Amino acid sequence: MSPSGDNTELLKLGRYEVVRELGKGAMGIVYLAKDPLIGRLVALKTIRLADTADDEEAREFQERFLREAQAAGSLSHPSIVTVHDIGQDPESSYSYIAMEYVEGRNLKEVLASGEPLQYNEVAEIVAQVAEALDFAHSRGIVHRDVKPANIILCDSRAKITDFGIAKIASAVSNLTSTGQFLGTPNYMAPEQVKGTRVDGRTDIFSLGIVLYEALSRKKPFGGDSLTTISYRIVHEPFQRLTEVDPNIPPGFEAIVARCLSKDPAVRYQRGRDLAEDLRRILRGGVPAERPDPESETVVFGDPGREATIVGPPDDGTGSSTGQAPAAATGSLRSRRPSWFKRRISALVFFGVIAAVLIPLSAIAFSMWHGQVEIPAVDVKREQEIANQKRLRQEGEALILRGNTAGAFEKYRELMALAPDSPWVRKRFQRLEELRLMEMSNREKLDQAQVRLQEGKDLFDKEDYEAAIPLFEEAFRLDPSLTEANTFLDFIEKALNLRRMGRQAPPRRAESGEAPAPTGSLPASGQATLRIVFNNPTNDVGYIQIKVNGETIVHENLYTGGTGRFQRRTPRPLSVTREIPSGLINVETAVVIRALGMTNETRALSTRVSPGSEAVLTMTLNSQARRINYQLTP
């Protein structure tokens, strides 16, 4: 039955039993299906030619579809979604690809949700994808559509999917609806935009855009139209990462710049080189010094197509066609460096020959006598690296659970193993600050309990005037200590009754609760709360303030348009609102995308007198990745 958008229920596609629809792509619908032969769940990507396609077009497409799907199916790598099967449904015009069904979310969904990603997580995700691309490129297969939506995050591994789909799409593009655009403009390389030959370095450029976006939550080449995006990809530079967010570790800057070079010869020539540099950053190092790409020779190509040699530039004196030796197959373009045509003296020539032959002769002599030493694996160093990785992972897990003390101990051990790592040192110092802050808070809580008990002792003696400062200090040290406010409320009403000539209320009950005073008192009146938010950024969305459960402020922290590509201007906030006097409970909620927090919340309490003004000051500290709060009565 047909898997089209009509109302006909789909039961089978080929031999596969459809379970449900997973989504829609550029070429057709994607289904979750079951292979009845082995009981395996698969993801079925369907492709259907337009009704206007003639027999010749259909035959050409089927041949290319078969060739590209078979090539993608030959890839077996832990970070590549496996292609299990290809075929065509006999009851419809649909071709399909049966792929490994991976449970997890793609990177696009994670970025769109605003969930924070640690820099080490981003580096590891991109490194795994780079290794997968390197594996595919070594077999002559180029992805052509690397983007967050094609990177699936499952458990502890990232997987890239849709190998060969973009190339198949290029074959069906003129057979689908008129004007349909296939591909993802934001992640295209300059050579894709210009329609010139693509190779593995095209995927490196696209992966560089993914890395940039995952780190900064911005695209390096944005725009509100296809024309604008294409022009910027081909002609304009991108904004540096450190300008977008100064908190991004500096090591990523050089990696992104190399990936996003307009000239493919300047980019990483292999995905594994990109992965190695990312993991150097994870270990606290810096990207490796690479040889000048102009002097490298790297071969890229597609199965069944001509290969391309990328090497030094042509000296302009050789044949324009760059013919390869007769024994070679395919058409190879060879370019010579400018220094190749210079004349050299016989002395220099024979000196170079001797410098090459003498070491080779020594190596051959040693091998002949069986004296070549095989370098031994540095087991101790490998163990140290494994311990560093384990401690870092355990420390980060404890941070996510809010266990600062435990994370501090893990990073203390890590500092002993990697004392020269700037990243580890910075993380350790920050954890030490948080630990000292927590210790200080615990001391304040203990001191608050002491002041509360001292106040209760004076309260029992009906020495209310002396008890007031003790209860106030207890509440200042621990705003969650509402019991202190209960006694203060009672004392205030009791003293008012005394001034009115009424009998003082009875002493508190044995349970420790302050009794309710007798007699009526005047209304408490109103007070005011002034709210100040300092140092806003473009990535701060809005602020919401509640007092005693009632919303008094809900405003944007920027001015300007709300469109995705419209410019926003940050603005500080300073407003004053009327509030009831007495004990107030203040709840704040601030959206801060720049710090990786989708909703920064805080609960504060204080006591305000009738006619007085309380001030809530919030200051954004982007370097420390937090908001500092201060509520003063």
Side-chain angles (χ1 to χ4, degrees):
M1 303 181 73
S2 173
S4 61
D6 56 26
N7 296 324
T8 305
E9 182 183 4
L10 175 67
L11 298 179
K12 295 189 68 175
L13 191 64
R15 76 167 186 269
Y16 296 95
E17 300 172 354
V18 173
V19 178
R20 68 174 185 271
E21 180 181 316
L22 293 176
K24 291 182 172 64
M27 297 177 292
I29 302 175
V30 184
Y31 295 99
L32 174 64
K34 182 179 180 181
D35 185 346
L37 295 180
I38 56 178
R40 176 173 57 191
L41 289 176
V42 298
L44 278 183
K45 292 184 178 289
T46 62
I47 304 169
R48 183 182 185 183
L49 299 182
D51 294 335
T52 57
D54 58 28
D55 293 340
E56 181 64 23
E57 289 174 328
R59 185 189 60 78
E60 181 182 350
F61 166 73
Q62 291 295 341
E63 290 178 356
R64 186 167 186 180
F65 168 78
L66 179 64
R67 184 171 61 252
E68 299 302 333
Q70 286 176 337
S74 68
L75 299 177
S76 179
H77 189 275
S79 286
I80 295 178
V81 175
T82 305
V83 173
H84 294 310
D85 186 23
I86 57 175
Q88 185 173 21
D89 182 46
E91 298 184 9
S92 68
S93 58
Y94 280 85
S95 298
Y96 59 81
I97 303 177
M99 308 179 73
E100 172 189 4
Y101 174 60
V102 180
E103 292 190 11
R105 292 191 300 167
N106 62 53
L107 183 58
K108 179 181 179 180
E109 293 171 338
V110 174
L111 296 177
S113 70
E115 295 180 23
L117 278 175
Q118 300 292 333
Y119 297 129
N120 58 337
E121 293 177 319
V122 173
E124 184 59 31
I125 289 170
V126 176
Q128 290 179 9
V129 174
E131 289 174 335
L133 291 173
D134 185 85
F135 177 82
H137 297 163
S138 67
R139 285 153 179 77
I141 300 176
V142 183
H143 191 288
R144 292 177 174 82
D145 195 20
V146 177
K147 58 185 178 182
N150 283 338
I151 298 173
I152 303 175
L153 307 182
C154 54
D155 298 329
S156 60
R157 176 161 293 279
K159 286 177 172 279
I160 185 163
T161 185
D162 278 6
F163 265 98
I165 297 298
K167 192 171 183 182
I168 295 170
S170 67
V172 75
S173 60
N174 63 324
L175 306 180
T176 56
S177 57
T178 304
Q180 180 179 4
F181 183 83
L182 295 170
T184 312
N186 285 109
Y187 302 95
M188 283 186 173
E191 55 268 29
Q192 284 179 291
V193 174
K194 293 186 290 186
T196 57
R197 178 72 180 276
V198 301
D199 56 37
R201 296 166 300 180
T202 303
D203 288 344
I204 298 294
F205 188 96
S206 300
L207 187 58
I209 296 178
V210 173
L211 174 60
Y212 186 103
E213 183 179 4
L215 290 169
S216 67
R217 302 304 172 99
K218 294 179 179 292
K219 293 182 175 62
F221 307 104
D224 53 4
S225 68
L226 175 60
T227 302
T228 302
I229 295 171
S230 301
Y231 181 84
R232 288 176 177 170
I233 289 174
V234 175
H235 300 288
E236 292 186 358
F238 57 89
Q239 186 179 10
R240 296 184 59 179
L241 280 173
T242 51
E243 295 175 359
V244 178
D245 184 356
N247 295 309
I248 297 175
F252 287 107
E253 190 78 65
I255 293 178
V256 169
R258 192 175 184 94
C259 290
L260 299 185
S261 171
K262 311 291 186 188
D263 183 0
V266 182
R267 297 175 203 154
Y268 286 98
Q269 303 296 290
R270 296 289 302 269
R272 67 182 183 188
D273 294 337
L274 169 57
E276 288 174 1
D277 276 358
L278 288 168
R279 293 206 169 98
R280 284 190 178 91
I281 293 180
L282 289 179
R283 296 193 296 268
V286 296
E289 290 291 335
R290 303 285 177 190
D292 183 1
E294 292 295 327
S295 64
E296 294 183 308
T297 299
V298 183
V299 179
F300 293 96
D302 296 332
R305 294 186 60 172
E306 296 179 348
T308 301
I309 290 186
V310 179
D314 195 351
D315 64 349
T317 62
S319 171
S320 60
T321 59
Q323 295 295 324
T329 60
S331 175
L332 305 181
R333 291 186 288 112
S334 176
R335 296 181 291 178
R336 296 178 178 177
S338 58
W339 47 262
F340 188 82
K341 61 183 180 180
R342 299 177 183 170
R343 298 180 180 275
I344 57 177
S345 64
L347 180 62
V348 174
F349 176 78
F350 286 111
V352 172
I353 296 299
V356 174
L357 291 179
I358 290 174
L360 289 176
S361 301
I363 293 173
F365 180 78
S366 299
M367 292 179 65
W368 179 265
H369 289 278
Q371 297 176 354
V372 176
E373 296 183 1
I374 300 175
V377 176
D378 191 343
V379 178
K380 182 179 179 181
R381 178 56 182 163
E382 292 294 326
Q383 185 63 41
E384 287 179 356
I385 293 174
N387 287 337
Q388 291 178 26
K389 183 177 180 180
R390 175 183 57 81
L391 289 170
R392 184 171 62 249
Q393 291 175 342
E394 292 176 353
E396 292 299 314
L398 290 170
I399 290 174
L400 291 176
R401 292 198 294 268
N403 188 348
T404 304
F408 174 80
E409 293 303 324
K410 295 296 180 182
Y411 272 90
R412 187 205 294 274
E413 297 181 48
L414 188 56
M415 274 291 293
L417 296 177
D420 298 327
S421 169
W423 188 88
V424 173
R425 188 183 305 109
K426 181 179 179 181
R427 200 70 162 170
F428 177 75
Q429 291 171 350
R430 177 59 185 151
L431 286 170
E432 187 173 28
E433 292 174 4
L434 293 175
R435 187 178 65 94
L436 294 175
M437 189 182 304
E438 288 183 355
M439 292 174 60
S440 176
N441 288 337
R442 282 195 295 270
E443 292 175 359
K444 288 182 179 179
L445 296 179
D446 293 340
Q447 191 176 2
Q449 290 293 335
V450 172
R451 294 292 179 266
L452 177 65
Q453 187 58 50
E454 292 174 350
K456 288 181 178 180
D457 293 340
L458 292 172
F459 183 89
D460 286 339
K461 299 175 183 177
E462 297 188 7
D463 190 355
Y464 297 149
E465 287 83 357
I468 288 175
L470 293 174
F471 287 131
E472 288 180 341
E473 184 178 2
F475 183 76
R476 179 180 59 80
L477 292 172
D478 183 4
S480 66
L481 208 58
T482 56
E483 187 181 2
N485 266 291
T486 302
F487 280 96
L488 285 171
D489 285 338
F490 174 79
I491 290 173
E492 180 183 0
K493 294 176 181 180
L495 293 177
N496 281 336
L497 288 173
R498 284 183 180 179
R499 285 192 291 270
M500 296 169 63
R502 299 185 181 182
Q503 183 179 0
R507 295 170 60 182
R508 66 189 179 93
E510 292 299 326
S511 63
E513 294 292 334
T518 60
S520 60
L521 294 175
S524 60
Q526 293 291 104
T528 57
L529 175 63
R530 185 157 59 91
I531 302 157
V532 179
F533 189 93
N534 297 317
N535 302 337
T537 72
N538 289 344
D539 287 317
V540 176
Y542 67 88
I543 183 171
Q544 183 177 24
I545 306 291
K546 292 183 179 181
V547 173
N548 295 339
E550 181 180 353
T551 300
I552 62 172
V553 172
H554 192 174
E555 297 186 20
N556 289 331
L557 292 170
Y558 60 86
T559 59
T562 58
R564 184 175 181 182
F565 300 105
Q566 295 182 11
R567 182 177 180 81
R568 293 178 177 177
T569 303
R571 69 178 181 92
L573 178 71
S574 180
V575 297
T576 302
R577 298 287 187 268
E578 283 194 355
I579 58 172
S581 60
L583 175 65
I584 60 169
N585 297 308
V586 181
E587 301 174 46
T588 69
V590 186
V591 172
I592 310 176
R593 299 185 185 89
L595 304 186
M597 296 178 284
T598 57
N599 194 358
E600 166 77 356
T601 61
R602 184 64 60 91
L604 305 165
S605 298
T606 191
R607 180 182 178 79
V608 293
S609 303
S612 64
E613 180 185 67
V615 180
L616 171 62
T617 305
M618 294 175 286
T619 303
L620 175 62
N621 186 338
S622 58
Q623 184 174 4
R625 292 173 155 250
R626 68 170 183 264
I627 296 178
N628 297 324
Y629 298 84
Q630 185 176 10
L631 179 60
T632 57

